[in-house]
Amino acid sequence: MKRLFSAALFCVLAFAAANAQSRLTVEVAAGVPFYGLPGLTGAPAQNGLNIGFEARQSLTSVPALSFGAQASFSPAWCSSSDFEAAKKSKYHKYYITPEFIIDYNILPGRKISPFVSIGAGVQGNIVVDDGEPARRDFGGIVNPRLGIEFFHRIRIYGELKKRFDKSSIDDYFAVNVSWIFVSKKN
């Protein structure tokens, strides 16, 4: 899996470097993940934070279709279904997710542009529970996203991180706000 991920990253970066008319976009995001939504995931209710970094390379000077990579980090706590027991527990879970992204702006060049994205990658989970040794788990994910970009600088979007290799206990939906701090032609 690591070799496949490395080879795909190399191909994306090589293609981006060869495309002289392209545009590089880099952004940071923060948001709120919703774990344990009835009917959406099998996880018990948790609190958390979603932090991400993304770099995309568009195929043209007007970024309608772009390819890139995203890395996100999501700590979660209070994972017990019994809230009183969760408050006493020192249970923490950390989601670390590197992935590849394909992003499509529906109205490129406009001040307000809806977009859709799909990502795929690896999700690593680290669980620390009341001083016990950390447990680690890795698996593949798919990440559909839908959102709106405002003034080529701010994005508000929802995303679903869906594990496809096991039960849905590690799936979550997040609402994020991101700031594009680099968007320039190469």
Side-chain angles (χ1 to χ4, degrees), residues 21-164:
Q21 295 296 317
S22 63
R23 181 182 297 266
L24 174 67
T25 302
V26 178
E27 65 185 78
V28 292
V32 178
F34 298 96
Y35 305 91
L37 294 176
L40 181 62
T41 69
Q46 301 178 56
N47 300 313
L49 175 66
N50 198 37
I51 300 167
F53 173 82
E54 185 172 325
R56 292 184 311 277
Q57 187 78 33
S58 66
L59 299 178
T60 62
S61 60
V62 178
L65 183 65
S66 57
F67 299 89
Q70 179 191 65
S72 62
F73 174 71
S74 301
W77 56 91
C78 293
S79 64
S80 174
S81 57
D82 177 2
F83 186 71
E84 291 303 316
K87 286 194 306 189
K88 296 174 187 172
S89 172
K90 294 181 181 171
Y91 179 100
H92 299 285
K93 190 169 200 174
Y94 303 96
Y95 297 90
I96 301 166
T97 312
E99 60 188 286
F100 293 104
I101 297 287
I102 298 174
D103 192 84
Y104 180 73
N105 280 344
I106 297 168
L107 301 171
R110 303 266 175 95
K111 292 186 188 256
I112 298 176
S113 176
F115 67 91
V116 294
S117 301
I118 187 77
V122 177
Q123 182 183 67
N125 304 330
I126 301 169
V127 178
V128 179
D129 191 1
D130 283 329
E132 293 179 16
R135 297 186 310 270
R136 293 172 181 84
D137 174 30
F138 296 92
I141 64 155
V142 65
N143 175 16
R145 303 187 308 175
L146 179 64
I148 299 176
E149 182 176 298
F150 297 94
F151 307 106
H152 312 290
R153 289 287 178 239
I154 299 170
R155 286 181 148 206
I156 299 172
Y157 59 94
E159 66 180 344
L160 175 65
K161 302 272 187 174
K162 176 78 176 143
R163 290 280 295 258
F164 54 80

Side-chain angles (χ1 to χ4, degrees), residues 162-183:
K162 176 78 176 143
R163 290 280 295 258
F164 54 80
D165 63 332
K166 62 183 223 171
S167 70
S168 63
I169 194 164
D170 292 313
D171 297 345
Y172 66 89
F173 177 79
V175 176
N176 298 305
V177 176
S178 68
W179 176 260
I180 299 170
F181 61 92
V182 174
S183 183

